[in-house]
């Protein structure tokens, strides 16, 4: 079954915390004190998020991390992709397995490949249209990134499925 890794879950938790403190520089220690996340793993995840240009880091006594864009403009898909790549539902969705040494012998006549790829694509589309802001405000009803974009008059991001 589709399951996010602990790294990605911790990354989403950290980003949600940053989204709730939008515009502020938040020390990693604060995130680690607030949630029971292993500090070393949190540091690695925050570094990966910096490398993906989702957060910016500031050094020094008042250093920490901050979102580089508003939470409404960051999609769950963009975050998941940065931390673990696009989701797969089966080996059918993994192009390396389809054409590599461990290629699928059933692929040319497989009755499930197309439906599973469609399911993966729908899951990915939902991730791309779910904003970080909607995770940071769980008490509010689900709002897709597309509906927020229209409501705010923003130009929709052209994030593509990997």
């Amino acid at each position: 079954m589709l399951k996010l890794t602990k790294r990605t879950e911790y990354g989403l938790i950290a980003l949600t915390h940053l989204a709730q403190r939008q515009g502020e520089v938040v020390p990693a220690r604060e995130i680690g004190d607030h949630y029971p996340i292993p500090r070393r793993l949190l540091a690695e995840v925050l570094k990966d998020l910096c490398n993906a240009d989702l957060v910016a880091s500031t050094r020094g006594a008042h250093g920490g991390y901050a979102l580089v864009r508003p939470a409404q403009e960051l999609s769950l898909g963009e975050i998941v992709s940065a931390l673990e790549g696009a989701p797969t539902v089966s080996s059918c969705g993994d192009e390396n397995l389809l054409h590599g040494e461990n290629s699928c012998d059933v692929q040319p006549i497989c009755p499930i490949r197309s439906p599973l790829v469609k399911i993966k694509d729908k899951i990915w589309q939902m991730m791309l249209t779910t904003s970080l802001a909607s995770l940071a405000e769980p008490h509010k009803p689900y709002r897709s990134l597309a509906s927020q974009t229209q409501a705010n008059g923003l130009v929709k991001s052209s994030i593509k499925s990997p």
Side-chain angles (χ1 to χ4, degrees):
M1 198 65 201
L2 174 71
K3 184 176 179 179
L4 298 175
T5 63
K6 280 290 187 195
R7 285 182 96 259
T8 301
E9 289 176 4
Y10 293 156
L12 289 169
I13 289 168
L15 288 170
T16 300
H17 190 82
L18 294 176
Q20 291 168 341
R21 303 274 307 275
Q22 184 71 44
E24 297 178 39
V25 175
V26 179
R29 167 173 256 132
E30 177 184 312
I31 299 169
D33 288 346
H34 196 76
Y35 304 98
I37 299 173
R39 291 190 192 268
R40 184 174 186 157
L41 184 53
L42 177 61
E44 290 173 13
V45 168
L46 288 167
K47 181 179 176 184
D48 288 345
L49 292 169
C50 281
N51 290 336
D53 293 325
L54 298 177
V55 299
S57 66
T58 305
R59 292 178 172 256
H62 301 288
Y65 297 87
L67 297 177
V68 296
R69 299 192 315 259
Q72 299 89 330
E73 295 178 21
L74 293 172
S75 76
L76 178 59
E78 185 177 12
I79 297 162
V80 170
S81 182
L83 293 172
E84 66 182 66
T88 59
V89 176
S90 71
S91 60
C92 297
D94 188 342
E95 291 300 319
N96 294 327
L97 290 178
L98 289 176
H99 305 295
E101 285 182 28
N102 298 324
S103 64
C104 178
D105 295 331
V106 183
Q107 192 264 337
I109 59 168
C110 183
I112 66 168
R113 182 174 191 270
S114 180
L116 289 178
V117 168
K118 287 178 186 174
I119 290 168
K120 179 205 56 118
D121 289 346
K122 287 184 183 204
I123 291 169
W124 187 243
Q125 190 58 40
M126 187 169 185
M127 289 179 147
L128 289 173
T129 59
T130 301
S131 72
L132 176 61
S134 68
L135 295 180
E137 300 174 357
H139 59 279
K140 293 189 176 183
Y142 168 80
R143 294 179 309 185
S144 72
L145 188 58
S147 66
Q148 289 178 26
T149 300
Q150 291 169 352
N152 296 333
L154 300 171
V155 176
K156 188 173 179 184
S157 175
S158 60
I159 302 168
K160 301 267 191 267
S161 173

